[in-house]
Amino acid sequence: MALEFSRVGFAPDYVDYEEGWALQRRLHAEVVAGSAPSTVLLLEHSPVYTAGKRTEEHERPLDGTPVVSVDRGGKLTWHGPGQLVGYPIVALPDPTKVADYVDILEQVLINVLADYGVTGTRIEGRSGVWVDADERGPARKIAAIGIRVNHRVTMHGFALNCRNDLAPYSQIIACGITDAGTTTIQAETGLDVAPADIADRVEAELSLFETSLVKAATPGPAATDTDPGHRQTEGALL
């Protein structure tokens, strides 16, 4: 089956996180069963903090803001208006290393950012896409990645900061990282790029990697999580 895309909701029709998560779980079950094609969900969330399995109590918001605990790897992050969130629910080829899948997502985002004048890069030991340290400050994360793989079908995914408010990040230790900042396309370039505006480019780039991302056969029984703060994986061969 070919890779498909579904635009679930963009401003002003933000997607509640719990509703989006429920949609992921339903679609995941269908892809595992072979009754639905591998599909990438693209959307903007209503404001929310989510905590992966490694989140510690002291890393939660300082103001007591509610946090949704989720089943992905990694720690705490924020989602909200102005940020493009992508949830690839895809049956990976067999065998596939989790690190290779994360590399593809990172490269897709690096390629998209280049179109908007942002040089995205990788940092050894950390997942996601970054802007290198310069005269403006230390290295800054512009896209986060945190996934779960169950029965060789992926869940969760990436969050690309387009024009979102950065203030929520000041209330948390984002992804457990204390020595780097967070940024957006707008903060780096001055361009007012909405998530809906960038969705076409993300879809086009993901489609280029379709043969590496999507498996035609029935998925198998393996489960793994990746950590959005560190490039460590569990059970890398799926």
Side-chain angles (χ1 to χ4, degrees), residues 93-116:
D94 179 20
T96 299
K97 293 181 180 179
V98 174
D100 291 343
Y101 171 61
V102 173
D103 281 343
I104 289 174
L105 295 184
E106 289 172 345
Q107 191 59 55
V108 163
L109 298 173
I110 288 170
N111 293 350
V112 170
L113 286 167
D115 286 353
Y116 294 88

Side-chain angles (χ1 to χ4, degrees), residues 11-173:
D13 301 317
Y14 302 116
V15 178
D16 174 79
Y17 186 84
E18 296 277 11
E19 292 178 3
W21 192 12
L23 174 58
Q24 283 193 72
R25 293 194 296 267
R26 289 196 301 271
L27 181 56
H28 181 276
E30 292 172 359
V31 174
V32 168
S35 60
S38 292
T39 302
V40 180
L41 307 175
L42 296 173
L43 54 98
E44 276 180 272
H45 276 306
S46 304
V48 64
Y49 290 107
T50 67
K53 294 180 177 180
R54 293 180 59 250
T55 304
E56 299 179 32
E57 192 62 32
H58 73 275
E59 295 169 332
R60 292 175 178 268
L62 304 176
D63 61 358
T65 300
V67 176
V68 178
S69 295
V70 295
D71 59 352
R72 59 166 171 77
K75 296 201 174 193
L76 190 69
T77 193
W78 175 88
H79 298 305
Q83 180 189 73
L84 175 64
V85 173
Y87 295 133
I89 314 297
V90 300
L92 295 175
D94 179 20
T96 299
K97 293 181 180 179
V98 174
D100 291 343
Y101 171 61
V102 173
D103 281 343
I104 289 174
L105 295 184
E106 289 172 345
Q107 191 59 55
V108 163
L109 298 173
I110 288 170
N111 293 350
V112 170
L113 286 167
D115 286 353
Y116 294 88
V118 177
T119 301
T121 188
R122 296 179 174 92
I123 291 182
E124 183 68 27
R126 293 175 172 176
S127 69
V129 180
W130 300 76
V131 175
D132 279 334
D134 54 22
E135 68 280 359
R136 298 176 57 193
R140 305 175 289 282
K141 178 175 273 191
I142 196 165
I145 293 175
I147 68 169
R148 175 172 174 76
V149 182
N150 190 9
H151 296 283
R152 295 199 186 95
V153 176
T154 64
M155 287 183 66
H156 302 288
F158 60 85
L160 175 60
N161 293 339
C162 298
R163 61 178 185 183
N164 47 288
D165 186 2
L166 293 174
Y169 291 103
S170 67
Q171 298 292 322
I172 63 172
I173 302 174

